[in-house]
Amino acid sequence: MNVLNIALQMLSSHSLCDSCLGRQFALLGNIPENVFKSKNLSPNACRGFSLKMTLTLQDHLTYDLGSKDEGIKSLKILAENGNFEPARETLTMLGKNFDQTSRICYLCDGKIELNSEHAEKAIASLTSYEFETFLCGSVIPIHLKEREDELRSKFNIKWGEALKSEINRETGKMIAKITGKQADLANPDVATIIDIESGQISTSINPLFIYGRYRKLIRGIPQSKWPCKCEGIGCSVCNWTGKKYAISVEELITTPILELTDAKDAKFHGSGREDIDARMLGKGRPFIVEIKEPKRRKLNLMDLENRIRDYANGKVEVTQLKFTKKDMVRKIKAISQHAEKIYKCSIRVDRDISLEDVEKIKKELTNATIQQRTPLRVSHRRVDKIRMKKIHDIDAKIDGNLMELVIRCDGGLYIKELISGDGGRTTPSISELLSASAECLELDVLEVQLD
Ligand SMILES: [Zn+2]
Ligand SMILES: [Zn+2]
């Protein structure tokens, strides 16, 4: 086997540019980036150029040593199918004719020459977006892939690289050089896809994820946007707002974020949720905001916390904001089901409560396992089943027929039903233990324990 023979054979059947010829030997030789730097040649173009150059010298020597026809025949292949300037000059010097039309490369249709043009277009398509990392991809027409496969099998090429990976890498290098940003295949801020056939560029701006904890300081607001039954169209029930609740934790947090990032949309992911009429206090509940197509992503998160505090005006606060990754969304959602919670609730019982009652509640419910069938009030959206949830700790203060409980329990225990008994669906319950009707007046979440 001889690389020069294979190269000449390939050229004798097809027109090939330097890059496409060199790419068939991409795994041979390790060519540093700075070789041919002044000519801006890629490593594969460097391989192809060198093969053509060596063949030109060899053919000239063959000619000089007397095998004139053989030498000229090969030089013509290099001059015509190889579009190789040194071979053309050598033939001219020897007074030989050749077909001067420049031939389009069979493997890339001349598209590799457009790499820098594509890089500039890709950069232009990203001008309104802030980014630090990018991915450069391409769509290669099928006929070019087929040609390359066919050529490889015909010449039994085992050291080649695909056209697509050369285009992606070389265009990416140009984008990096011009913008100073870094290519990142795994987790880029933005991605740009070049359609090689049409020259069209499409971009996708990857979402930005911000993690934090929110405190909901007032009752009566839902966690997420809650459309009216009119499905947002507006009706007399919702006073033409399209919303069942005027405001939500989600909107209070995402509105300043959308303003700051100039993003297309933002999605709120909570680690579980509290009831609309419950406050969320303590260190707050973890959440992640997924910011879609942000134009700005270099944010000062302390400033953002303040903006949200100002906008939410005492209703909601956020803390511990930090940038995070997409896979954390699944994690905070999954973890909320198991995270221990601490609740504070005020209860009214239909008779006065005694200290004996308190002792009984503490004794029966500390470390107790509660059997809880899906509460009636959520049965329309939750599967009907019996959950076993543990209470770890319970403390109580009484005042006549009122009681304040602090309960540390497994995530997923419905507290209102633990108090009322939900018609026997939750057992044991406060109501059951007191043999009296009991209802939850106010509920606060004091802790969501993730660690
Ligand atoms: Zn080519
Ligand atoms: Zn409505």
Side-chain angles (χ1 to χ4, degrees):
M1 276 212 178
N2 181 317
V3 283
L4 292 172
N5 287 345
I6 299 169
L8 189 62
Q9 278 175 42
M10 284 197 286
L11 282 169
S12 66
S13 57
H14 299 294
S15 167
L16 298 174
C17 70
D18 293 357
S19 294
C20 287
L21 177 63
R23 195 172 62 255
Q24 310 314 316
F25 307 98
L27 300 182
L28 301 178
N30 194 0
I31 303 179
E33 289 295 336
N34 58 4
V35 175
F36 283 73
K37 196 177 183 180
S38 55
K39 293 195 77 180
N40 239 341
L41 278 191
S42 70
N44 282 338
C46 182
R47 287 183 178 89
F49 181 91
S50 305
L51 286 167
K52 289 179 184 177
M53 194 70 235
T54 310
L55 283 167
T56 302
L57 305 187
Q58 181 61 49
D59 295 340
H60 194 179
L61 180 64
T62 304
Y63 176 91
D64 272 359
L65 292 177
S67 304
K68 289 197 161 47
D69 289 350
E70 197 187 323
I72 295 302
K73 188 182 164 209
S74 293
L75 281 169
K76 277 192 178 178
I77 290 171
L78 291 162
E80 293 168 353
N81 269 351
N83 271 316
F84 194 55
E85 204 51 42
R88 293 175 166 225
E89 290 295 322
T90 307
L91 285 169
T92 306
M93 184 183 78
L94 298 174
K96 304 294 175 187
N97 291 327
F98 58 94
D99 179 3
Q100 306 230 4
T101 45
S102 85
R103 297 182 186 175
I104 291 173
C105 175
Y106 174 72
L107 288 186
C108 73
D109 272 350
K111 303 299 187 191
I112 282 185
E113 287 173 30
L114 302 178
N115 276 355
S116 63
E117 194 180 302
H118 288 155
E120 306 229 340
K121 273 203 214 171
I123 293 166
S125 73
L126 291 169
T127 43
S128 42
Y129 297 95
E130 210 169 64
F131 67 99
E132 284 309 311
T133 55
F134 68 93
L135 176 148
C136 179
S138 57
V139 179
I140 308 288
I142 289 180
H143 73 273
L144 292 185
K145 287 183 192 164
E146 286 174 349
R147 284 180 191 177
E148 191 155 62
D149 287 349
E150 188 194 294
L151 186 100
R152 292 239 181 119
S153 77
K154 184 173 166 192
F155 292 96
N156 203 13
I157 297 291
K158 296 195 173 70
W159 329 275
E161 184 192 13
L163 173 63
K164 187 186 182 79
S165 70
E166 167 156 8
I167 287 184
N168 293 354
R169 187 188 57 246
E170 295 305 324
T171 314
K173 269 158 44 180
M174 290 171 188
I175 296 174
K177 195 175 166 193
I178 298 169
T179 60
K181 310 295 182 188
Q182 286 197 337
D184 181 344
L185 305 186
N187 202 4
D189 291 342
V190 297
T192 167
I193 310 289
I194 301 155
D195 185 319
I196 295 307
E197 185 87 278
S198 65
Q200 291 209 324
I201 311 282
S202 58
T203 54
S204 68
I205 310 302
N206 286 333
L208 182 62
F209 294 88
I210 295 178
Y211 168 94
R213 281 176 176 250
Y214 74 82
R215 287 158 39 89
K216 185 173 111 188
L217 305 169
I218 61 160
R219 302 178 196 283
I221 48 178
Q223 188 191 62
S224 39
K225 269 182 262 180
W226 197 311
C228 171
K229 281 191 185 129
C230 65
E231 294 180 346
I233 299 162
C235 66
S236 56
V237 175
C238 61
N239 199 20
W240 309 99
T241 60
K243 295 191 283 188
K244 182 165 175 176
Y245 289 88
I247 200 71
S248 61
V249 173
E250 172 176 16
E251 289 160 291
L252 290 169
I253 293 175
T254 57
T255 305
I257 291 181
L258 285 169
E259 258 173 40
L260 194 61
T261 56
D262 200 1
K264 193 175 178 190
D265 196 12
K267 197 165 178 214
F268 185 90
H269 306 278
S271 177
R273 59 176 65 210
E274 60 287 335
D275 290 337
I276 293 172
D277 56 4
R279 291 185 297 182
M280 177 66 236
L281 305 174
K283 282 187 275 182
R285 182 185 295 277
F287 69 91
I288 291 173
V289 177
E290 176 178 357
I291 304 154
K292 296 181 178 176
E293 298 189 22
K295 291 209 168 87
R296 279 184 291 282
R297 53 174 79 224
K298 276 194 243 167
L299 312 177
N300 177 337
L301 296 180
M302 282 307 290
D303 172 51
L304 181 57
E305 277 182 23
N306 292 331
R307 281 168 183 256
I308 292 169
R309 183 173 293 117
D310 290 347
Y311 181 75
N313 195 20
K315 299 183 190 80
V316 164
E317 282 176 5
V318 298
T319 54
Q320 300 177 37
L321 293 187
K322 61 184 181 194
F323 294 109
T324 187
K325 300 252 160 71
K326 185 190 173 85
D327 59 351
M328 276 301 287
V329 172
R330 195 174 39 79
K331 284 188 190 153
I332 68 158
K333 289 200 167 199
I335 216 167
S336 76
Q337 291 159 19
H338 309 290
E340 270 182 31
K341 311 278 177 5
I342 301 176
Y343 295 97
K344 186 174 84 177
C345 49
S346 329
I347 294 167
R348 183 168 55 211
V349 181
D350 66 355
R351 64 164 172 78
D352 276 358
I353 309 159
S354 66
L355 286 172
E356 288 75 39
D357 290 329
V358 170
E359 283 314 305
K360 185 176 183 190
I361 287 169
K362 283 191 186 175
K363 182 164 168 277
E364 297 291 329
L365 292 185
T366 300
N367 290 320
T369 300
I370 309 296
Q371 273 192 47
Q372 189 161 59
R373 188 167 163 200
T374 305
L376 278 178
R377 69 183 164 101
V378 300
S379 58
H380 61 286
R381 58 187 167 93
R382 292 278 152 85
V383 59
D384 186 20
K385 63 173 186 184
I386 292 172
R387 294 171 179 80
M388 309 292 275
K389 298 286 177 183
K390 212 171 160 196
I391 293 181
H392 303 285
D393 233 335
I394 187 159
D395 200 11
K397 275 189 265 179
I398 52 171
D399 179 11
N401 69 335
L402 299 177
M403 180 161 55
E404 189 181 276
L405 288 179
V406 174
I407 305 167
R408 183 163 66 86
C409 59
D410 288 348
L413 177 66
Y414 292 96
I415 298 298
K416 288 173 182 170
E417 285 70 22
L418 171 71
I419 291 156
S420 71
D422 199 20
R425 293 161 74 95
T426 294
T427 178
S429 68
I430 301 286
S431 175
E432 185 187 328
L433 291 171
L434 299 182
S435 303
S437 161
E439 69 166 321
C440 176
L441 300 177
E442 283 187 338
L443 183 64
D444 292 327
V445 187
L446 298 185
E447 281 300 348
V448 176
Q449 298 186 325
L450 284 187
D451 329 305

